[in-house]
Amino acid sequence: MRTVAPAVLPPVRSPEARPPALPCGPSGWFLLISCVVALAGCSSKDSATPKTGAPAAASAKAAVVGLTRSVTIPVRVVADPAAAPADGSVLSISEGGDDEPPEGPSTFDVLPDGGFVVADPLRQRIVFYDAAGKFRFDLLIHFSAERLRVLPNNALSIVRYQSGDRYISEADSAGNYGALRLATDRDPDLDAADAGVTRLESGSQAIVSAQPAPGTEIPPVSVRFEAVGESMVSVRRLGSDARQRTYVAIEAAFPGQSVDVREIVRKYAGNGDPLVEIVDIPLDYLAHPVDEFRIRGGVLYQLMPKSSEVRINIWDTNSRP
């Protein structure tokens, strides 16, 4: 409904407030005509000459970055996850049913050398691959992992499914992982740090802030979404990098009975300007992971379990500022 402003009537002057009548003699008429001609000349000059006031500030436009490459990892859809395949490189996805979706690789992270570590919850293990997706080894943990991170000291931080308990597995100098222990306050929680604080104010506006940390101050980012007919339905902070650039995942949809969601990831500069936008994010999962994205050194990674393979899609945003 359009709101129309009420009409404003001109003020009524009292007889005492009326201006004095113009002189009606020849000199008076000459003065009146001269003023009219002068005003007409000024108006014509103003309309012919563009105004030189300050131009409107143009909003920064993000550069679109396409898919760089993909890494594929073998997977099988199984009715009985306990029947482990002979090949340890193969991950597992359940068949699912009418009342429950398929379950499969739930989380992942990127190793310092560019390799990957993926949770295989149906077989209660963590699996390590190189940067090309070649199997290295696996680590049996005897529970289903919901979240997984590689800490700065190469230790693994693993959150147990359902209970939410977080465990740490330390790595020795040879890269061998030790027994799990419960995490303490001294162990960094990278998931909480990356998520920060997000406030969705409307379908076109959100505020994303970093989690407060000693000695680090990253200004909040104002996320604006403008697309005809679409609105933001969720916003997630994916983290930031050493240059204080913030990465944000946006889910947008057209309103209606069936919600068709698409995902966009943006990189913002420290001053809040959008630098990069990724719009070609596929969503044809078989099993949706808990942790879909990871950011490492300006590179976006997406974990995508499908029926025939687990694909890790990679977008390198470093070709842009």
Side-chain angles (χ1 to χ4, degrees), residues 8-294:
V8 180
L9 297 176
V12 179
R13 295 179 180 269
S14 64
E16 293 79 5
R18 291 175 183 171
L22 290 173
C24 296
S27 60
W29 286 110
F30 177 79
L31 178 61
L32 175 61
I33 294 171
S34 300
C35 290
V36 170
V37 172
L39 289 172
C42 292
S43 175
S44 175
K45 183 177 180 180
D46 288 346
S47 61
T49 306
K51 296 183 180 180
T52 57
S59 59
K61 186 173 179 61
V64 176
V65 171
L67 182 69
T68 304
R69 65 186 181 95
S70 295
V71 174
T72 58
I73 295 171
V75 71
R76 61 170 191 153
V77 178
V78 297
D80 181 11
D87 188 353
S89 68
V90 180
L91 300 172
S92 297
I93 298 179
S94 67
E95 291 181 337
D98 295 336
D99 299 328
E100 56 182 25
E103 296 181 2
S106 54
T107 179
F108 78 119
D109 207 350
V110 183
L111 296 162
D113 63 358
F116 306 102
V117 54
V118 183
D120 189 7
L122 294 181
R123 295 179 59 192
Q124 299 186 343
R125 63 181 185 142
I126 306 296
V127 192
F128 292 76
Y129 300 90
D130 67 12
K134 183 179 179 181
F135 175 74
R136 286 176 170 170
F137 63 93
D138 60 359
L139 177 67
L140 191 63
I141 59 174
H142 302 288
F143 62 81
S144 297
E146 183 176 18
R147 310 199 75 175
L148 169 66
R149 296 302 296 263
V150 179
L151 301 182
N153 62 352
N154 287 333
L156 297 179
S157 171
I158 306 169
V159 175
R160 184 170 186 160
Y161 176 66
Q162 291 185 329
S163 72
D165 295 330
R166 190 162 69 99
Y167 295 88
I168 304 295
S169 178
E170 307 280 357
D172 61 20
S173 58
N176 299 312
Y177 288 91
L180 296 173
R181 63 169 176 82
L182 279 172
T184 68
D185 293 339
R186 295 189 301 273
D187 298 304
D189 188 349
L190 301 185
D191 287 322
D194 285 346
V197 179
T198 301
R199 185 172 73 251
L200 184 62
E201 297 186 331
S202 68
S204 61
Q205 179 75 35
I207 302 296
V208 175
S209 305
Q211 187 183 59
T216 302
E217 183 176 353
I218 301 177
V221 171
S222 177
V223 177
R224 295 191 60 83
F225 180 78
E226 296 176 355
V228 178
E230 280 185 290
S231 298
M232 290 191 293
V233 295
S234 75
V235 177
R236 305 193 311 277
R237 185 179 187 273
L238 301 180
S240 60
D241 59 25
R243 295 172 59 183
Q244 294 189 348
R245 295 171 301 190
T246 300
Y247 299 79
V248 177
I250 299 168
E251 286 188 337
F254 291 95
Q257 294 182 349
S258 61
V259 179
D260 187 12
V261 175
R262 69 182 179 110
E263 280 192 304
I264 303 157
V265 172
R266 288 181 185 166
K267 176 170 76 172
Y268 289 87
N271 64 358
D273 288 341
L275 298 175
V276 168
E277 186 170 77
I278 299 170
V279 297
D280 60 340
I281 298 175
L283 299 177
D284 52 335
Y285 302 93
L286 177 61
H288 199 291
V290 174
D291 294 312
E292 180 183 4
F293 298 112
R294 293 294 184 210

